[in-house]
Amino acid sequence: MGLFKTAATLALVFIVVKVLWLCLVLCGDEKTELFERRTYLIRRVVKERAGLAATPSMLNATFQGEWAIVTYSMTALALTNMAFDHPKTKDEAQSSTAELVRMAKEPQIQNFDRQLWNEKPLDALAKVNTGKKLKGHVGYLGHLGMILAANCALGGKKHLKLFQNISDYAKKLLLQSPFLVAETYPGECYIPDNTVLVAVIALYERLVEKKVEPSEFVKKWLSQMELSFLDKETGLLSFTVTTEGKILQGGRGSSGGWNTHYLLHINPEFSRRLYGNLEQNFRHRLWFGLTGMREWPRGVNKDGDVDSGPLVFGLSPSGTGFAIAGASFFKKETLRKELLFTAETAGFTVSCSGERYYLVAPLVGEAIVLAMKTARTWDRRFIQ
C-alpha cells in the first residue's frame, strides 16, 4: 500500500511539473522561442553538417536517406519563412540554404535514390531533351528543388541553373503520365511526393519566370488531382495510387497536413479547402487538452508506419506536426495552440545556451515543426 501511495505521489508530482513546464513554454515570447529553435537548427544541421548519422539507426538505408534530405529541406523552409518575417536574418538564411544545397548534392545523400533507380538523380537531369523516358527520382529531386527554391527566394543566384533543370525535369516527368503522377520509387506513386514536385515548378515560375498567376500546367495538375485523386470519404488527396491511376490508399492525416503545406506554394485556396476537410474529419481531442490529427479516418483503426510515426490513441505525430502549417497560415489560433500544446507534451522542450529544441524528437521533427509554425508563401522581394 505504501509503495502504491509513493508511486501515485510521484505521478502527481510529474503531472504538476509537466503542466507548469507547458505553461512556461507556451506562454513565453514566441519570437524568442522561434529564434532559439532557429539557432539550434543552424548549428546542428548546417554548421555541424548533420547527415545520415543524425537519422534514427533503426531505419533502413532508404528511409535514412529520405529523412536526411527532408531534414535539409525543412530547415531551408524554416529559415526562409523566418527571413520573410524577419528580414535581418535574410543574409544568414541565404548562406545557410546555399550550404544545404551543397550538402544535399553529396553522394551519400543521393545514394538512397540512386540505388532504387540504378541512376544518379542529378545525372538524370541531362536526359530532359533526349527523348528518352525519364525515371522518377521524385523523393530526392522534390526536396532538393525546394532547397533551391528557398535559396532563390532569398536572393541566391549561384544555383539558378540547377533550379531550372529540376523544374524542367519535373514538368516533363509528370507529363509522361496521363494522370500527371510520377513514381517516387519504381512502381510506387505517392501523391504527397508529387505535391512537393509541383510546388518546385510553381515556385520556379513565380520566382524566376515572374509569373503572377499559376501556369496552364499547374492548373491542369490541380484539376487532375481534384478529378481523379480526391478521396470522397475524407475530402483529402489520396495517399498512394498505381501507375495506371487507381487509388490504393485514400486520405491520411500525415499526408493531409503535408499536402496543405506544399499547396500553399501552388494554390492557397485549394490548400484552404483541403485543410478544412482535414480539420473536420481528422481532428481528435483527448484528455487534458490534448488535440491532434488522426492518421486514419474515424472508424478505421490501423497501426502507424514510417510516414505517420507511432500512433497514440489514433493520433499521428506526423499528421499533428504537419497540421500546424495550416493552422498557422490560415490563422486558426485556437487549433494552433492546441496542436502546439500536444507537440510540447510529446516533445518536452529544453532551453540551453540560447538554443531551444525538443528533447524527445528526431532532428527531422525539429525542422518540420519550425517550418510548419512559420508557414507562409514567398514572393520576389529579395530577388534583384
Side-chain angles (χ1 to χ4, degrees), residues 60-287:
N60 64 35
T62 298
F63 290 129
Q64 283 187 324
E66 276 189 1
W67 282 40
I69 194 153
V70 171
T71 300
Y72 298 165
S73 177
M74 289 294 175
T75 299
L77 291 169
L79 298 181
T80 305
N81 292 339
M82 290 189 66
F84 275 90
D85 291 331
H86 308 282
K88 289 183 179 180
T89 69
K90 189 266 291 184
D91 290 342
E92 185 179 29
Q94 184 190 116
S95 63
S96 293
T97 54
E99 182 61 25
L100 287 167
V101 172
R102 288 189 285 271
M103 291 166 60
K105 290 167 62 179
E106 291 175 350
Q108 63 267 31
I109 302 300
Q110 294 188 56
N111 199 45
F112 79 97
D113 186 272
R114 181 194 64 77
Q115 288 183 331
L116 289 165
W117 285 106
N118 196 30
E119 175 185 65
K120 293 180 180 179
L122 293 181
D123 289 349
L125 300 179
K127 296 182 178 181
V128 169
N129 296 316
T130 63
K132 296 180 180 179
K133 184 175 181 179
L134 306 180
K135 296 182 179 180
H137 301 295
V138 175
Y140 175 82
L141 291 178
H143 291 291
L144 175 58
M146 288 303 298
I147 302 171
L148 292 163
N151 183 251
C152 174
L154 295 167
K157 299 178 181 179
K158 184 176 179 180
H159 302 291
L160 287 179
K161 184 60 178 177
L162 181 57
F163 188 15
Q164 178 186 358
N165 290 344
I166 290 180
S167 176
D168 290 345
Y169 185 94
K171 191 176 295 186
K172 290 196 174 184
L173 176 68
L174 291 167
L175 286 170
Q176 285 182 170
S177 163
F179 309 102
L180 301 181
V181 174
E183 297 167 272
T184 300
Y185 304 125
E188 300 179 31
C189 300
Y190 298 96
I191 297 297
D193 295 330
N194 279 259
T195 305
V196 179
L197 208 60
V198 177
V200 172
I201 295 169
L203 283 166
Y204 182 80
E205 292 175 348
R206 183 179 310 127
L207 298 175
V208 181
E209 296 181 345
K210 305 180 184 180
K211 292 182 179 178
V212 178
E213 298 294 327
S215 67
E216 290 304 313
F217 171 81
V218 172
K219 291 178 181 177
K220 183 179 179 181
W221 183 84
L222 287 167
S223 296
Q224 187 67 56
M225 291 304 103
E226 187 156 15
L227 176 67
S228 302
F229 304 122
L230 199 64
D231 179 17
K232 295 180 181 178
E233 181 182 354
T234 64
L236 303 180
L237 291 176
S238 298
F239 181 69
T240 181
V241 302
T242 67
T243 54
E244 291 76 32
K246 179 183 178 181
I247 294 175
L248 290 176
Q249 196 173 87
R252 294 175 53 170
S254 56
S255 61
W258 172 286
N259 286 330
T260 295
H261 169 258
Y262 288 100
L263 282 166
L264 293 176
H265 295 292
I266 302 171
N267 187 306
E269 285 308 309
F270 189 47
S271 176
R272 182 191 298 273
R273 181 152 63 90
L274 294 191
Y275 192 73
N277 295 335
L278 176 68
E279 184 180 358
Q280 179 179 345
N281 296 318
F282 287 82
R283 184 178 183 178
H284 185 61
R285 287 187 175 89
L286 295 176
W287 52 88

